[in-house]
Amino acid sequence: MNTYLANLWDALRTSFWFVPAVLGCIAIFGSLLLPEIDDRIPDEWIVWLQTTTPAARSTLSAIAAAMMTVAGTVFSITVVTLSLTSQQFGPRLLRSFMLDFPTQLTIGTFLSTGVYCLLILRIVEQHEPVSVPHLSVAFAVGLTVASMGLLIFFVHHVAVLIQAPHIVAAVAQDLDSSIVRLFPDRIGQPSSPDDQTNATANEQRNSLSGDFVEIASLSEGYLQAIDNDGLLHFAEKHNLVIKVLRRPGQYISCGDVLGRIWHCEEEDQKVTEKVNEFFIVGMRRTPRQDVECAIDELVEVAVRSLSPGINDPFTAINCIDRLRSALGRLAEREIPDALRCDRKGKLRVIARPVTFPEVMAAAFNQIRQYGSNCPAVMIRMLEAFESILMHTSRPGDRQAVLNHADMVMRAAENAITEKSDLDDVREAHGRLASHS
């Protein structure tokens, strides 16, 4: 259930309707509450706020019209920004822009201020000046002043938001959050290669017979998340062993095999429906449980910047620097075990965790392929590998870094024709090799 709620929250945060809807509800509540307060406050307490009925109606009408007009302008600026971002940096980056809270807040503030003024306007009566809700009208004026300040901030924020370093930093922050969220925690009993629990789990996995039930997907799209806790509890409750063959980020079609189940005694269709409930499928990838999603977004920015039409190696170098920092932190973290046990140490779930070599390949393969003729990019990649190598401790991880360094060197030798540039790349590769 927590996984479903987290996935729903991600969907709400990346929408342009949620924050405006919340602020609209607050505006409706305020339009009902403040007039009640107005009725209970003595006039002598708010003499400095008092106004006339015609003035109140004119003020509220003007504010409501202005807020709706400016809200349309903000929408237009936002759509233009999204269009430019999609063309310049790639459509995957739209998720990061739609996640931007200041933009959502600005849209919601102007719309909710207009709604509030319209609702207050209905209780201002022309023939009874004493019924003017002075505090409510004054609050509308205050909201207008605040909205004008927010509009100035929004224009400045958009100007900063579309700059390449800011975009790269925002995507890198998503990547760091994914690493922190996914890699320190375990599901079931923790284990290590030397402890008794892991040895027992390996024995149980090796003893599994070929008599299993395959679970077919009932949905089509990208696997956004797996309710791991729910799947583990389900396996424990029904005394099952479940091997998950898919992981978040992969595309699945109806009928694709999601996993295998041993010791299953229920009907295949019933089990298939129950297990499918733990797999959340959507139209796009999200970084909630898919660390390669954020990596792909950074890689897309780098690859587009290296295209002949843009030719911006500085942005590619910025992306490489962010990837270097993220993978350096990842190298220091423990990769989750594929064998996950219940509280009694019995094997329940066999998962497919992402490995460090796979993350290295996702991060640097395409940048190497598209930037092989750019010495500055090749040198910065080798410098990044040198930095990542300093954080690695597992032999397989170190070998993965060295393999990528060798691939970069071979690509540079094949693509770079200038001898002095190639010598600089060889020098960077030599510095890295000295740490191996």
Side-chain angles (χ1 to χ4, degrees), residues 252-296:
I252 57 177
S253 300
C254 292
D256 286 353
V257 179
L258 297 177
R260 297 170 178 171
I261 296 182
W262 283 265
H263 315 312
C264 182
E265 298 179 357
E266 296 188 46
E267 297 179 7
D268 292 356
Q269 183 61 29
K270 187 178 297 185
V271 174
T272 297
E273 293 175 356
K274 289 182 179 179
V275 174
N276 267 266
E277 294 177 357
F278 301 108
F279 291 79
I280 303 174
V281 179
M283 293 184 295
R284 63 181 183 181
R285 297 171 64 179
T286 65
R288 170 58 57 177
Q289 291 186 5
D290 179 14
V291 69
E292 292 183 11
C293 175
I295 289 178
D296 288 347

Side-chain angles (χ1 to χ4, degrees), residues 13 16 95-104 157 161:
R13 289 193 306 136
F16 278 149
R95 183 190 61 83
S96 298
F97 275 82
M98 294 184 69
L99 186 64
D100 184 58
F101 180 74
T103 300
Q104 300 172 356
H157 179 71
L161 194 65

